[in-house]
Amino acid sequence: MFHRLLSVVRRQRTGRGWQNWSSGRSGASAAEAHSVALPAQAHVVICGGGIMGTSVAYHLSKMGWKDIVLLEQGRLAAGSTRFCAGILSTARHLSIEQKMADYSNKLYQQLEQETGIQTGYIRTGSIFLAQTQDRLISLKRINSRLNVIGIPSEIISPKKVAELHPLLNVHDLVGAMHVPEDAVVSSADVALALASAASQNGVQIYDRTSVLHVMVKKGQVTGVETDKGQIECQYFVNCAGQWAYELGLSNEEPVSIPLHACEHFYLLTRPLETPLQSNTPTVVDADGRIYIRNWQGGILSGGFEKNPKPIFTEGKNQLEIQNLQEDWDHFEPLLSSLLRRMPELDTLEIMKLVNCPETFTPDMRCILGESPLVQGYFVLAGMNSAGISFGGGAGRYLAEWMVHGYPSENIWELDLKRFGALQSSRTFLRHRVMEVMPLLYDLKVPRWDFQTGRQLRTSPLYDRLDAQGARWMEKHGFERPKYFVPPDKDLLALEQSKTFYKPDWFDIVESEVKCCKEAVCVIDMSSFTKFEITSTGDQALEVLQYLFSNDLDVPVGHIVHTGMLNEGGGYENDCSIARLSKRSFFMISPTDQQVHCWAWLKKHMPEDSNLLLEDVTWKYTALNLIGPRAVDVLSELSYAPMTPDHFPSLFCKEMSVGYANGIRVMSMTHTGEPGFMLYIPIEYALHVYNEVMSVGQKYGIRNAGYYALRSLRIEKFFAFWGQDLNTLTTPLECGRESRVKLEKGMDFMGRDALLQQKQNGVYKRLTMFILDDHDTDLDLWPWWGEPIYRNGQYAGKTTSSAYSYTLERHVCLGFVHNFSEDTGEEQVVTADFINRGEYEIDIAGHRFQAKAKLYPVTSLFTHKRRKDEVELSDLHGK
């Protein structure tokens, strides 16, 4: 098999560049492929012979797995991989994407030596241009993050840009970022090299073999049906690129893989009169919407236009991707941008305009992970035109997940389970990718929102809140209010305000926070995930006691804050659980946990007809009544005493509110402020809301949104899953020991890891930072992901931040690590280590002093004073 693969590699590599790939295979080699019989059994079957499939095969074989089969419906590397521009860039907004690209860079660099196959790897470096100050700020933020993970980069002047790339017109630039270790490769040759190495390690590779569907029994992969016969297997990996969506739906139990193809254009020129050097830097001019790289002494240049052309919405197309129709009219804006940036190209002969399909996902992030519905069904697809940059790292993380049960990094932002079936509508995908493709090069300021695919999931109160000035954000398809615009504000100006500095909604959110502190506010939090777990006997309690770290054997009516941990002690979910009866529990989780949490529970709950798990998210509207006067509003509406003596903290009771019965009232607010959560059957939602607003008028009630909630929870040091907590974060690392009962009388998942961590100490600690010398009005704001420095040495990154209207300071949450100055290895982090440090937060290259706290600041300011006169109290409290 290996010799046959090498002959394919050598044949496909003859000639120069991608053009020769369209020539097809000889009749003899095709017949040879048809004559090879498929194995009857395998451990893993991988579908797709592009960069993703070959990377997964390579890494699985490196990790020692055997009986791996890779199937390709056409020829190896003949899909999107064949047309990829071959630009490897580590400059990404997400930390996990930076790490994937950095690993890919290192892998491809040594691949030629490992396999003997030339991959076209050339370290060229990349230059990212900025035509505006906001673009430069965005680059500075990326630059800060690259530097702390060991990727060299620097912000440079237009003059330096001209020195690095003399053909560039730099007159309209305000600066740029130079990443010297970025590279270019021949993407198809990289895929062939990975396939060759995998084959040497025992992977069996068959081309001209189509997967028809995946066989599933009792929610588990059992095999695949191909046009050449069946293969029994325990694992299946869908790396089918633009065909991944349809392949997922073809299964006996469909797997939703939300992606859609768009046409992607780039041109190729003949060599310049003085051919470009092979190490000429790649250029990304995002404001001009183009990228430029050297190609055989000439230019390869494409981009991401504002009006993309989605394709193949109706279904599966040809086996191998052929060059689609040229469309010079469509490409003209990008060509004009190229000629403005490189005027000397005006007389250069263009060889070809390449038009090839690229797949995009609903949120611009690739899809990686295991299906929530079918165990053993893994996916790696939807690269958003970054396949060569992510291929090595993504293949490695997926292989780790399959082999070890979890990847070595937190990959939640890429996890397939961040999506639900609601994102798999063809119409939704077609419309969303038309927005996503231009967004790749659009300037993304903090808190931006997608505009397509909106109003998909809404609360029954949506129209009422919208009429009162609600501005909306979307989470897991659910519309949630950000804040409420007063009637006297300019709506249009507010909607168009995009900045890295103090936002225009600052005063609006301040008034909402003030109302939460002094009177009463209502926040519609219906998007929260809600499950009910019931049983005929004690099964519900027993399984929840095993799956959750806190003790759930509490009296009926009590609420427990707890974590659902994995074997390593990390958070799979952070939630609140109310015991409704001896055999019934009500579980409240973050909005985007709906699919992930359901899958985790179903995977670990026994198959017992007496045990029922039900998703009741859609059954209840949730209103958060926050503030000191919430008790008055609810008392008046229910004719029941709601004071702490009668309704203690973390208590749940079904009550009547107004005319409505069966309202689950809980004494908690997810913010640390006094108040109540009301879980209302949806048919009563409008009535209860109207009653609350009517009675609350005398108490100064008003609507509030999630921005106010964010400010309140961060100043109270409340960590949220998906932002501050993840699968690699344990309760001991974020001060949540009180939510863990190690001695609750029975074992629970993650207990052994926590016991060991308790004995050995933690290697990171969630810390609250209060910015000291930061001018809210004039300085750049922290948002998330800013590097933290302790005594001048990098110590971690922020996970979330908000302005505290109480402290009149910016507050950041983030993990502090103790990296050895000599070896860089992580050491134990103690409270004393945190308290003895001097801290700075790096915001786009500028460091601001910060005070570190391990507990929320409870001393509130009694007098309004100028910021530079305020000395923060060192009082700690809980």
Side-chain angles (χ1 to χ4, degrees):
M1 182 61 62
F2 175 59
H3 296 298
R4 188 172 72 81
L5 174 69
L6 273 187
S7 69
V8 172
V9 170
R10 292 184 181 120
R11 181 172 58 255
Q12 294 187 146
R13 286 206 69 257
T14 57
R16 297 172 62 202
W18 64 270
Q19 300 169 82
N20 296 282
W21 289 72
S22 59
S23 59
R25 293 178 56 172
S26 67
S29 59
E32 179 186 85
H34 282 280
S35 66
V36 178
L38 297 180
Q41 291 181 317
H43 189 49
V44 184
V45 172
I46 301 167
C47 176
I51 189 73
M52 295 304 147
T54 55
S55 178
V56 172
Y58 172 87
H59 285 95
L60 283 175
S61 64
K62 284 280 187 180
M63 293 177 191
W65 272 23
K66 305 298 181 184
D67 298 325
I68 301 166
V69 172
L70 186 151
L71 305 177
E72 164 55 45
Q73 64 179 352
R75 296 171 300 161
L76 285 177
S80 296
T81 299
R82 163 187 165 202
F83 285 99
C84 176
I87 298 171
L88 200 164
S89 170
T90 53
R92 306 286 166 178
H93 287 279
L94 296 180
S95 174
I96 186 64
E97 292 181 344
Q98 291 174 350
K99 291 176 180 177
M100 287 196 304
D102 187 41
Y103 175 83
S104 297
N105 196 345
K106 293 179 171 66
L107 173 66
Y108 303 161
Q109 190 176 5
Q110 56 86 35
L111 206 53
E112 189 171 321
Q113 181 178 353
E114 180 182 346
T115 64
I117 298 172
Q118 295 180 15
T119 60
Y121 181 95
I122 302 172
R123 179 167 287 178
T124 61
S126 296
I127 306 172
F128 296 82
L129 309 181
Q131 296 182 29
T132 66
Q133 288 297 333
D134 274 347
R135 177 70 67 182
L136 189 59
I137 290 167
S138 179
L139 293 177
K140 286 179 177 178
R141 290 175 62 84
I142 295 172
N143 181 67
S144 295
R145 298 173 191 177
L146 289 176
N147 287 334
V148 297
I149 63 171
I151 299 176
S153 66
E154 62 174 336
I155 299 299
I156 60 175
S157 66
K159 181 180 178 182
K160 181 67 173 177
V161 172
E163 293 174 6
L164 290 169
H165 201 310
L167 293 180
L168 293 183
N169 175 12
V170 300
H171 79 278
D172 59 344
L173 302 182
V174 296
M177 179 174 70
H178 182 218
V179 187
E181 293 187 0
D182 279 357
V184 296
V185 295
S186 167
S187 51
D189 290 340
V190 169
L192 293 170
L194 289 168
S196 172
S199 183
Q200 283 182 302
N201 288 330
V203 175
Q204 301 176 66
I205 299 175
Y206 300 87
D207 60 2
R208 306 289 185 183
T209 306
S210 295
V211 174
L212 303 178
H213 67 269
V214 178
M215 298 180 290
V216 178
K217 187 176 182 180
K218 293 183 178 180
Q220 172 73 47
V221 168
T222 59
V224 296
E225 179 83 40
T226 79
D227 59 353
K228 309 281 178 60
Q230 291 186 0
I231 306 176
E232 293 182 8
C233 62
Q234 290 79 52
Y235 294 91
F236 176 76
V237 188
N238 184 337
C239 296
Q242 64 168 312
W243 300 291
Y245 172 87
E246 282 195 290
L247 180 57
L249 296 183
S250 71
N251 305 332
E252 295 173 4
E253 291 189 29
V255 174
S256 174
I257 305 168
L259 50 78
H260 196 291
C262 282
E263 296 182 26
H264 179 58
F265 297 86
Y266 61 80
L267 61 77
L268 299 165
T269 76
R270 298 206 179 277
L272 277 69
E273 189 173 333
T274 303
L276 287 178
Q277 296 294 311
S278 60
N279 63 350
T280 300
T282 296
V283 176
V284 176
D285 183 1
D287 295 313
R289 316 198 71 84
I290 58 170
Y291 57 82
I292 309 164
R293 62 156 286 192
N294 166 64
W295 186 75
Q296 298 181 4
I299 290 292
L300 182 158
S301 179
F304 300 99
E305 62 274 22
K306 290 184 178 180
N307 56 332
K309 299 168 67 176
I311 47 173
F312 307 142
T313 306
E314 296 78 13
K316 192 169 182 177
N317 56 303
Q318 71 271 16
L319 292 183
E320 294 180 8
I321 296 173
Q322 307 299 328
N323 191 22
L324 303 171
Q325 287 293 107
E326 291 186 349
D327 190 339
W328 283 104
D329 289 339
H330 189 79
F331 190 73
E332 193 277 332
L334 299 181
L335 178 59
S336 298
S337 187
L338 171 63
L339 294 177
R340 281 194 300 272
R341 187 57 58 207
M342 298 182 71
E344 292 185 31
L345 299 186
D346 196 26
T347 58
L348 196 61
E349 182 182 353
I350 295 173
M351 286 177 53
K352 191 174 187 63
L353 180 62
V354 177
N355 177 5
C356 58
E358 283 274 8
T359 53
F360 299 89
T361 62
D363 60 1
M364 295 187 294
R365 304 199 294 266
C366 72
I367 297 173
L368 187 158
E370 187 175 16
S371 162
L373 300 175
V374 181
Q375 289 189 42
Y377 191 116
F378 285 81
V379 179
L380 182 55
M383 291 297 125
N384 300 281
S385 205
I388 199 66
S389 293
F390 297 156
R396 171 196 171 191
Y397 290 141
L398 191 75
E400 288 176 346
W401 196 334
M402 295 172 68
V403 173
H404 305 301
Y406 50 86
S408 57
E409 296 284 347
N410 169 43
I411 56 90
W412 168 247
E413 292 166 308
L414 314 177
D415 194 335
L416 171 62
K417 290 186 282 292
R418 72 188 188 271
F419 295 120
L422 59 96
Q423 283 99 354
S424 64
S425 153
R426 288 185 191 269
T427 305
F428 167 80
L429 289 170
R430 181 180 177 89
H431 291 173
R432 176 55 68 85
V433 297
M434 291 175 71
E435 179 183 11
V436 160
M437 189 171 165
L439 273 171
L440 292 176
Y441 274 3
D442 279 352
L443 182 68
K444 289 174 282 294
V445 299
R447 312 271 175 95
W448 60 273
D449 299 292
F450 288 107
Q451 300 304 308
T452 53
R454 298 296 296 270
Q455 299 181 37
L456 189 59
R457 303 174 76 194
T458 59
S459 156
L461 306 178
Y462 179 86
D463 289 337
R464 286 279 281 121
L465 300 180
D466 195 60
Q468 295 177 77
R471 299 298 97 183
W472 300 95
M473 60 194 285
E474 174 255 336
K475 188 82 165 181
H476 201 59
F478 223 116
E479 297 294 331
R480 313 200 301 181
K482 296 187 286 191
Y483 49 80
F484 287 78
V485 180
D488 58 336
K489 283 281 185 179
D490 183 345
L491 293 183
L492 186 62
L494 199 64
E495 287 296 287
Q496 293 177 345
S497 170
K498 296 180 178 180
T499 180
F500 291 99
Y501 291 88
K502 179 181 177 180
D504 285 354
W505 44 255
F506 181 87
D507 294 337
I508 295 173
V509 175
E510 180 179 28
S511 61
E512 292 179 5
V513 167
K514 184 178 180 182
C515 190
C516 289
K517 296 275 189 182
E518 299 176 0
V520 57
C521 277
V522 179
I523 303 179
D524 185 345
M525 299 178 66
S526 302
S527 67
F528 270 18
T529 297
K530 300 172 277 287
F531 294 157
E532 285 183 5
I533 304 99
T534 56
S535 61
T536 55
D538 293 332
Q539 300 96 327
L541 176 63
E542 290 171 1
V543 73
L544 293 181
Q545 284 284 66
Y546 174 69
L547 290 177
F548 291 88
S549 59
N550 211 336
D551 190 356
L552 294 174
D553 192 4
V554 293
V556 171
H558 284 242
I559 302 168
V560 176
H561 292 314
T562 184
M564 186 165 69
L565 309 183
N566 52 40
E567 292 289 359
Y571 278 100
E572 292 294 333
N573 181 25
D574 178 47
C575 61
S576 301
I577 298 180
R579 190 169 194 177
L580 302 179
S581 70
K582 289 194 71 173
R583 297 166 181 173
S584 179
F585 297 83
F586 185 59
M587 176 177 165
I588 305 147
S589 304
T591 301
D592 53 4
Q593 275 279 288
Q594 189 170 11
V595 176
H596 173 71
C597 188
W598 176 271
W600 185 267
L601 287 169
K602 293 295 284 186
K603 182 177 181 178
H604 293 93
M605 288 173 66
E607 289 189 24
D608 187 340
S609 59
N610 297 313
L611 184 64
L612 176 65
L613 171 66
E614 183 182 5
D615 186 343
V616 295
T617 300
W618 63 274
K619 287 186 177 182
Y620 293 94
T621 295
L623 292 183
N624 196 348
L625 211 57
I626 304 178
R629 306 312 298 268
V631 64
D632 300 306
V633 175
L634 214 48
S635 294
E636 195 167 326
L637 279 171
S638 62
Y639 288 95
M642 302 299 295
T643 59
D645 292 339
H646 299 89
F647 208 107
S649 178
L650 295 179
F651 191 70
C652 172
K653 185 178 180 182
E654 283 204 355
M655 301 174 59
S656 297
V657 178
Y659 297 153
N661 289 318
I663 312 301
R664 292 177 182 173
V665 179
M666 302 184 185
S667 49
M668 65 176 188
T669 64
H670 303 284
T671 63
E673 300 295 330
F676 302 90
M677 287 293 304
L678 278 59
Y679 287 91
I680 310 160
I682 57 170
E683 63 266 34
Y684 300 145
L686 199 55
H687 167 74
V688 172
Y689 173 79
N690 288 338
E691 290 293 297
V692 166
M693 295 303 287
S694 177
V695 169
Q697 278 191 351
K698 68 178 80 133
Y699 302 109
I701 198 166
R702 65 175 291 169
N703 292 299
Y706 273 78
Y707 284 9
L709 184 84
R710 183 185 183 90
S711 175
L712 291 168
R713 72 97 176 166
I714 287 179
E715 74 177 19
K716 287 289 174 65
F717 209 165
F718 276 35
F720 270 24
W721 197 93
Q723 297 175 43
D724 312 296
L725 312 177
N726 59 50
T727 55
L728 299 179
T729 307
T730 75
L732 306 187
E733 294 166 347
C734 54
R736 293 191 167 196
E737 292 87 348
S738 63
R739 300 187 180 191
V740 176
K741 297 296 184 287
L742 291 169
E743 309 302 331
K744 66 179 180 179
M746 66 173 295
D747 191 21
F748 61 86
M749 192 175 291
R751 181 174 180 270
D752 290 344
L754 295 184
L755 284 170
Q756 187 173 356
Q757 193 175 56
K758 186 176 181 181
Q759 180 177 341
N760 298 339
V762 298
Y763 288 83
K764 61 182 177 184
R765 183 69 189 263
L766 186 66
T767 307
M768 177 178 180
F769 296 95
I770 303 167
L771 295 193
D772 232 4
D773 59 344
H774 184 270
D775 189 316
T776 304
D777 295 321
L778 300 178
D779 290 326
L780 288 168
W781 275 31
W783 296 98
W784 59 271
E786 290 84 12
I788 300 166
Y789 288 87
R790 179 186 181 276
N791 298 343
Q793 183 182 0
Y794 173 66
K797 280 188 280 194
T798 64
T799 52
S800 59
S801 67
Y803 183 80
S804 167
Y805 296 94
T806 308
L807 302 175
E808 296 184 326
R809 289 288 193 284
H810 255 101
V811 177
C812 302
L813 305 185
F815 283 94
V816 172
H817 301 250
N818 182 3
F819 298 113
S820 167
E821 292 188 29
D822 298 326
T823 64
E825 294 182 0
E826 291 197 54
Q827 300 172 317
V828 171
V829 175
T830 62
D832 185 56
F833 176 83
I834 300 288
N835 293 328
R836 283 190 293 105
E838 296 287 332
Y839 293 91
E840 295 171 302
I841 307 295
D842 182 326
I843 306 176
H846 185 93
R847 296 188 190 181
F848 295 90
Q849 294 179 0
K851 283 191 170 68
K853 306 287 181 184
L854 286 172
Y855 303 97
V857 177
T858 56
S859 57
L860 305 183
F861 295 106
T862 54
H863 303 287
K864 296 286 184 184
R865 286 178 273 176
R866 287 176 55 84
K867 286 186 183 179
D868 54 1
E869 295 173 348
V870 174
E871 287 294 328
L872 286 175
S873 169
D874 284 328
L875 292 176
H876 292 172
K878 194 91 175 174

